[in-house]
């Protein structure tokens, strides 16, 4: 057997081998399978360890269940050291040719490539294979950098790919993998842990903390420091820590610059702006712009940042003051993004609306807080929504055990039921 085939056989579905597919994530696989039998390249993007590889293998397994021969499915994961020989797109093509020569797949074959951005010039390979009408091939790829679809690839594949952003487990997926029931208690537990799939295979808090720390270090080193030739790695990590501990707060780059200057740390506005951009591109954080509801325009200068997974806060930096309300806001943002909404921070006159979310023709306004403990808090949370006189849906989302009745057309939603109203 060819040496490369022997290596590849460990990770493919050939000869009765069944690679691990993990917890089923139907919300993603169903959407991706809707694009099956098209020439569109299916691109899965997201932070490292959010489960992109599992989803690829779940799709491959589903194809086999639907009657596709395992030998017509070829899977490569560039993160595995066995594939270190595959540095450029030419070596990728040579490997695919070894596979085709050995198995001689009849009809269409399905190509799955994990972390393809680690292969130099990969876009040339994808462009060529996706447009080869003499040899049917359907391509699924993943990457851990949001910029992988910019520049040359965007030009080469303009209109010929479909992108899916993969997030950590949703609350519904958390319930599925833990076998818990929907309740305030289970939602609090979801909030106080993390939602990266492999966390649920670890036995205790210490191993989870070590795992999260290793992920953070890997992303900072491989996806940012090495990729962008970062000179001050400590500053990069400190910027990440600052954003983690100020998630859900309105901040500007100037705020961050002033903070580091107060700590006698030398840096510049441009350096901080670049570091924040790199953290965004690696999907560790998400920047949300403000939107003027009255002026119908995006406002620049001040933003909110949200963590891609609360595990970074819960396991790495728990000592900093960070209330339940801020964590709740972070979770609601992630759920809106999972459901495909564009999300903004709303401003109307002198008031702030936590979220203005848009998907297609639907617009919803959302306020969130920990609990509506008295009339003063109720007035504070409902007032911004009451000033908006249009007919779009308006919600206040909290962790209250009691479900409050509607007020001025504004509906109260318990956080653990939030996903039900944004589908």
């Amino acid at each position: 057997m060819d040496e490369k085939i022997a290596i590849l056989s460990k990770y493919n579905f050939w000869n009765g081998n069944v690679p691990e597919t993990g917890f089923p994530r139907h919300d993603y696989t169903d959407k991706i399978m809707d694009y099956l039998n098209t020439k569109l390249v299916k691109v899965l993007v997201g932070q490292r360890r959010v489960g992109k590889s599992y989803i690829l293998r779940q799709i491959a397994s589903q194809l086999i269940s639907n009657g596709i021969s395992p030998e017509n499915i070829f899977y490569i994961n560039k993160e595995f050291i066995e594939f270190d020989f595959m540095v450029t797109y030419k070596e990728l093509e040579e490997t695919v040719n070894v596979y085709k020569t050995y198995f001689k797949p009849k009809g269409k074959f399905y190509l799955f490539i994990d972390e393809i951005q680690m292969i130099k010039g990969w876009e040339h390979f994808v462009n060529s294979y996706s447009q080869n009408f003499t040899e049917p091939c359907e391509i699924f790829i993943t990457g851990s950098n949001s910029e992988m679809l910019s520049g040359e690839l965007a030009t080469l594949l303009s209109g010929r790919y479909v992108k899916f952003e993969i997030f950590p487990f949703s609350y519904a997926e958390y319930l599925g993998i833990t076998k818990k029931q929907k309740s305030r208690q289970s939602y609090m537990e979801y909030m106080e842990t993390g939602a990266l799939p492999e966390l649920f295979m670890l036995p205790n808090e210490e191993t989870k903390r070590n795992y999260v720390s290793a992920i953070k270090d890997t992303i900072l080193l491989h996806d940012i420091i090495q990729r962008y030739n970062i000179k001050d790695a400590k500053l990069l990590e400190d910027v990440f820590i600052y954003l983690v501990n100020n998630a859900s707060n309105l901040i500007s780059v100037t705020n961050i610059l002033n903070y580091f200057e107060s700590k006698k740390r030398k840096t510049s506005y441009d350096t901080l702006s670049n570091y924040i951009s790199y953290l965004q591109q690696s999907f560790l954080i998400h920047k949300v712009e403000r939107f003027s509801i009255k002026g119908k325009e995006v406002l620049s200068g001040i933003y909110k940042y949200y963590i891609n997974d609360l595990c970074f806060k819960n396991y790495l930096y728990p000592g900093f003051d960070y209330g339940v309300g801020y964590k709740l806001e972070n979770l609601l943002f992630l759920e809106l993004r999972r459901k495909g909404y564009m999300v903004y921070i709303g401003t109307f006159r002198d008031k702030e609306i936590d979220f203005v979310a848009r998907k297609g023709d639907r617009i919803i306004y959302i306020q969130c807080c920990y609990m509506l403990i008295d009339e003063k808090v109720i007035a504070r949370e409902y007032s911004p929504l009451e000033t908006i006189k249009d007919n779009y849906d308006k919600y206040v989302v909290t962790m209250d055990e009691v479900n409050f009745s509607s007020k001025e057309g504004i509906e109260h939603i318990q956080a653990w039921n939030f996903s039900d109203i944004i589908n």
Side-chain angles (χ1 to χ4, degrees):
M1 181 182 290
D2 184 283
E3 182 182 352
K4 286 184 180 177
I5 290 294
I7 293 173
L8 295 167
S9 294
K10 293 168 56 179
Y11 304 104
N12 277 275
F13 290 80
W14 312 327
N15 304 316
N17 187 37
V18 182
E20 186 179 356
T21 57
F23 179 80
R25 304 191 72 181
H26 296 297
D27 283 350
Y28 292 114
T29 56
D30 289 351
K31 290 176 184 176
I32 296 167
M33 292 295 282
D34 284 342
Y35 291 88
L36 199 64
N37 297 318
T38 71
K39 297 293 289 184
L40 293 171
V41 179
K42 290 76 171 170
V43 185
L44 284 62
V45 297
Q47 177 201 302
R48 286 178 186 256
R49 301 295 180 266
V50 293
K52 301 186 297 295
S53 302
Y54 285 116
I55 292 172
L56 280 194
R57 294 195 291 269
Q58 287 171 21
I59 294 168
S61 180
Q62 190 168 335
L63 289 173
I64 293 170
S65 297
N66 293 343
I68 301 299
S69 169
E71 295 178 355
N72 282 57
I73 294 172
F74 184 32
Y75 172 80
I76 298 171
N77 190 329
K78 191 59 181 69
E79 282 194 301
F80 298 149
I81 60 174
E82 287 93 336
F83 300 110
D84 282 351
F85 67 86
M86 198 185 305
V87 178
T88 71
Y89 74 97
K90 291 187 178 296
E91 290 154 339
L92 170 59
E93 184 170 19
E94 289 171 4
T95 305
V96 173
N97 286 334
V98 168
Y99 152 75
K100 290 191 296 183
T101 301
Y102 187 84
F103 283 108
K104 298 180 175 58
K106 295 180 175 62
K108 181 192 294 185
F109 69 95
Y110 299 81
L111 186 57
F112 296 82
I113 309 175
D114 245 332
E115 300 300 344
I116 197 170
Q117 81 280 352
M118 298 172 70
I119 301 174
K120 187 175 181 180
W122 63 270
E123 59 271 21
H124 301 293
F125 173 90
V126 170
N127 184 56
S128 175
Y129 268 74
S130 67
Q131 299 309 307
N132 187 345
F133 291 92
T134 65
E135 189 175 33
C137 172
E138 201 153 344
I139 302 176
F140 303 77
I141 62 177
T142 76
S144 299
N145 190 287
S146 65
E147 293 298 291
M148 65 178 289
L149 291 173
S150 65
E152 186 174 1
L153 181 65
T155 302
L156 287 172
L157 288 180
S158 178
R160 298 199 296 272
Y161 68 86
V162 57
K163 182 177 73 171
F164 306 89
E165 185 171 353
I166 310 300
F167 289 90
F169 279 162
S170 65
Y171 174 55
E173 290 173 319
Y174 171 82
L175 295 179
I177 198 168
T178 61
K179 308 300 182 186
K180 295 182 179 181
Q181 298 298 311
K182 182 191 289 188
S183 67
R184 185 184 193 275
Q185 177 63 31
S186 63
Y187 194 86
M188 284 293 293
E189 291 169 356
Y190 171 64
M191 182 185 296
E192 295 301 326
T193 179
L196 300 180
E198 291 179 349
L199 276 175
F200 298 91
M201 304 176 190
L202 301 176
N204 54 52
E205 296 299 293
E206 182 179 356
T207 56
K208 292 179 180 180
R209 185 176 300 107
N210 291 337
Y211 174 74
V212 173
S213 180
I215 291 174
K216 181 261 296 179
D217 291 344
T218 299
I219 294 172
L220 294 183
L221 177 62
H222 293 295
D223 295 338
I224 302 180
I225 294 170
Q226 292 179 350
R227 182 184 179 95
Y228 299 106
N229 195 26
I230 298 297
K231 303 299 183 185
D232 192 341
K234 183 64 169 63
L235 178 62
L236 173 68
E237 181 168 8
D238 287 344
V239 171
F240 176 59
I241 294 171
Y242 181 93
L243 294 175
V244 167
N245 289 309
N246 287 276
S248 306
N249 287 319
L250 283 169
I251 53 178
S252 66
V253 177
T254 301
N255 294 148
I256 304 173
L257 181 63
N258 291 339
Y259 169 79
F260 282 111
E261 287 182 345
S262 74
K263 301 294 182 181
K264 310 301 181 184
R265 298 286 296 279
K266 288 186 177 181
T267 185
S268 68
Y269 185 100
D270 287 344
T271 296
L272 292 176
S273 183
N274 287 334
Y275 283 8
I276 292 169
S277 176
Y278 301 152
L279 291 166
Q280 287 178 252
Q281 289 166 22
S282 65
F283 298 98
L284 280 171
I285 62 166
H286 302 274
K287 182 174 79 172
V288 182
E289 298 176 307
R290 291 184 304 149
F291 180 79
S292 170
I293 296 171
K294 183 177 181 180
K296 308 296 182 186
E297 61 180 347
V298 173
L299 307 174
S300 61
I302 301 176
Y303 310 95
K304 283 192 179 184
Y305 296 88
Y306 296 96
I307 322 168
N308 196 50
D309 192 288
L310 286 176
C311 69
F312 297 109
K313 174 61 187 174
N314 294 329
Y315 290 109
L316 301 186
Y317 316 113
F320 296 86
D321 185 28
Y322 195 91
V324 173
Y326 293 104
K327 291 185 180 182
L328 173 61
E329 187 175 328
N330 205 123
L331 290 183
L332 298 186
F333 165 77
L334 292 172
E335 190 63 12
L336 286 165
R337 287 291 307 277
R338 283 189 194 94
K339 298 294 185 181
Y341 284 85
M342 295 178 60
V343 184
Y344 301 92
I345 308 304
T347 65
F348 190 77
R349 296 174 183 160
D350 60 342
K351 299 183 183 295
E352 177 187 314
I353 292 83
D354 288 333
F355 297 121
V356 179
R358 178 193 294 270
K359 182 167 71 171
D361 294 332
R362 187 182 185 192
I363 295 175
I364 54 178
Y365 302 110
I366 300 162
Q367 285 291 99
C368 66
C369 72
Y370 176 34
M371 297 181 72
L372 300 171
I373 55 176
D374 54 35
E375 291 298 325
K376 183 177 180 181
V377 174
I378 292 173
R380 183 191 70 203
E381 298 302 328
Y382 278 79
S383 175
L385 299 179
E386 290 172 344
T387 62
I388 306 171
K389 300 303 181 182
D390 60 34
N391 294 319
Y392 294 120
D393 293 334
K394 302 173 180 68
Y395 301 102
V396 172
V397 184
T398 76
M399 295 294 294
D400 288 281
E401 288 276 18
V402 177
N403 198 358
F404 293 83
S405 58
S406 297
K407 180 184 179 208
E408 301 290 331
I410 302 166
E411 189 175 351
H412 173 246
I413 300 293
Q414 294 161 314
W416 50 99
N417 295 317
F418 178 67
S419 183
D420 297 338
I421 59 102
I422 63 171
N423 279 324

